[in-house]
Amino acid sequence: MLKLPIYMDCHATTPVDPRVLEAMLPYFSERFGNAASRHVYGWEAERAVDLAREQVASLIGASPKEIIFTSGATESNNLVLKGAAEFHREHGDHILTQATEHRAVLDTCRALERRGLQVTPLPVDRYGRVSAEQVREAITDKTILVSIMAANNEIGTLQPIRDIGRVCREKGVLFHTDAAQGLGRVEIDVEEMGIDLLSLSAHKIYGPKGIGALYVRGRRPRARIAPQMDGGGHERGLRSGTLNVPGVVGLGKACEICQQEIGAEQERVRGLRDRLRDGILERLSDACLNGHPEERLPGNLHLSFARVEGELLLLGLKEIALSSGSACTSATMEPSHVLRALKVGDDLAHSSLRFGLGRFNTEEEVDYVVGRVVQEVTRLREMSPRYETAEAL
Ligand SMILES: *Cc1c(COP(=O)(O)O)cnc(C)c1O
């Protein structure tokens, strides 16, 4: 039986996997200890944190000592960018990033510019990709950090992380990637990809909100950043504050499940996404795909429907949890910086939808969504005077 509403917005957040919740529950009740306490309650919490650190590290090919728990990817991105800027102030003042980063990177860069740093946001191609060559050409002797996301949260485009990592290593510049979307959905290995710093978040991988981590390379070469939170010196001095033990346990479990299931899950979710894409594009004219046709997250579909107002479309599809593809953030109704960077026209940008499929979506749900999207786009086009004009031409 199909259950409504249908959740298809896995880039915004994901439901907590029941196995993750089960692992967390004891740490809200009988195992409530502070992981820093030196008694039996503390040791129990500490053991759970140690296991979670191993689970997170294992998913990205790191060592447990290189994992710093934070409140999520926003905090990890702030810590990396501000921490690198502070630590390497003497060596340089230039940060290299790209135009379609998450606001947690771009807004932090803007804050650093106000402190006098130079930031270069590289332009992307029409699929939302930067190239390693662009990175190579833009690195100067003042560059202290390159920050390029693994996968985009709107259009799902994957960046050539491995190639960029190689260039950064060659040039001796720290390489950070915001992997909040990429983690658990595509393979990421910090050794193979030459990543020095990596941000991740539990709630994008079927874990709880408010917990994440930063990977900080420990050797060959050690990545150095300055802490941005002072206090008891937790997390090797990089992030003070009593650990959120249930959250940490949940993040660890979520990573363990991703590692075990990523292969099968990728295939299944990609299959659902392709079914959704083909179902809609075969039945509707004047609809197009945004982002890269192949180099994209398995669960991401981003479509523009000519002559349809995206917000109206969402209103008509109330029983389906989707995001407007233009992700307008301000009162100005400007399309998102991501579609801007792809040079998608404002009209098409305002007529787009972002579908985020994940672990718990079913074929039945996909077929329902295909039917409803086709029905609603057709209805809105028939009502629109713009559509009639276009048809008459
Ligand atoms: C969700 C997301 C973030 C923010 O993560 P939080 O844990 O919610 O702070 C950062 N970057 C990307 C790419 C994201 O998708």
Side-chain angles (χ1 to χ4, degrees), residues 11 71-74 77 102 104 149 151 153 178 180-181 201 203-204:
H11 302 299
S71 64
T74 299
N77 289 340
H102 191 272
M149 70 199 326
N153 47 295
D178 174 351
Q181 293 291 340
S201 178
H203 76 97
K204 303 290 174 72

Side-chain angles (χ1 to χ4, degrees), residues 78-124:
N78 270 267
L79 174 53
V80 163
L81 292 159
K82 291 174 181 166
E86 186 182 328
F87 193 93
H88 300 284
R89 199 160 29 198
E90 316 281 84
H91 312 119
D93 61 358
H94 179 232
I95 291 176
L96 194 55
T97 184
Q98 57 91 26
T100 69
E101 289 294 311
H102 191 272
R103 294 286 298 273
V105 166
L106 293 179
D107 289 356
T108 307
C109 282
R110 206 154 301 144
L112 288 171
E113 281 180 321
R114 288 194 293 270
R115 295 182 196 173
L117 272 92
Q118 312 294 317
V119 178
T120 305
L122 292 171
V124 294

Side-chain angles (χ1 to χ4, degrees), residues 75-248:
E75 186 189 332
S76 296
N77 289 340
N78 270 267
L79 174 53
V80 163
L81 292 159
K82 291 174 181 166
E86 186 182 328
F87 193 93
H88 300 284
R89 199 160 29 198
E90 316 281 84
H91 312 119
D93 61 358
H94 179 232
I95 291 176
L96 194 55
T97 184
Q98 57 91 26
T100 69
E101 289 294 311
H102 191 272
R103 294 286 298 273
V105 166
L106 293 179
D107 289 356
T108 307
C109 282
R110 206 154 301 144
L112 288 171
E113 281 180 321
R114 288 194 293 270
R115 295 182 196 173
L117 272 92
Q118 312 294 317
V119 178
T120 305
L122 292 171
V124 294
D125 67 13
R126 67 196 176 104
Y127 300 125
R129 299 249 293 179
V130 288
S131 70
E133 271 321 297
Q134 279 176 282
V135 172
R136 183 194 302 282
E137 280 161 24
I139 289 176
T140 72
D141 55 0
K142 295 276 187 241
T143 308
I144 51 170
L145 181 73
V146 171
S147 182
I148 307 280
M149 70 199 326
N152 185 267
N153 47 295
E154 290 185 34
I155 52 172
T157 297
L158 305 175
Q159 298 292 359
I161 292 302
R162 190 185 305 263
D163 300 341
I164 294 169
R166 198 173 303 127
V167 166
C168 291
R169 189 56 55 85
E170 236 173 73
K171 296 272 191 179
V173 176
L174 281 179
F175 176 38
H176 165 248
T177 189
D178 174 351
Q181 293 291 340
L183 186 79
R185 296 172 177 163
V186 293
E187 278 86 2
I188 293 178
D189 186 295
V190 294
E191 288 305 327
E192 270 177 39
M193 299 181 164
I195 297 165
D196 298 310
L197 301 137
L198 178 147
S199 302
L200 61 93
S201 178
H203 76 97
K204 303 290 174 72
I205 57 167
Y206 312 96
K209 292 166 187 59
I211 184 77
L214 178 66
Y215 156 77
V216 182
R217 175 174 290 283
R219 54 195 196 94
R220 290 185 302 127
R222 180 171 171 206
R224 308 295 300 274
I225 56 173
Q228 301 299 303
M229 182 92 80
D230 298 307
H234 308 73
E235 297 300 281
R236 309 175 76 224
L238 275 180
R239 206 283 191 174
S240 286
T242 302
L243 278 177
N244 166 6
V245 178
V248 165

Side-chain angles (χ1 to χ4, degrees), residues 258-276:
C258 282
Q259 191 170 0
Q260 287 165 352
E261 301 184 356
I262 186 168
E265 186 160 294
Q266 269 177 344
E267 209 177 296
R268 201 186 71 85
V269 171
R270 186 181 290 116
L272 291 177
R273 191 270 317 274
D274 290 351
R275 186 180 178 96
L276 181 65

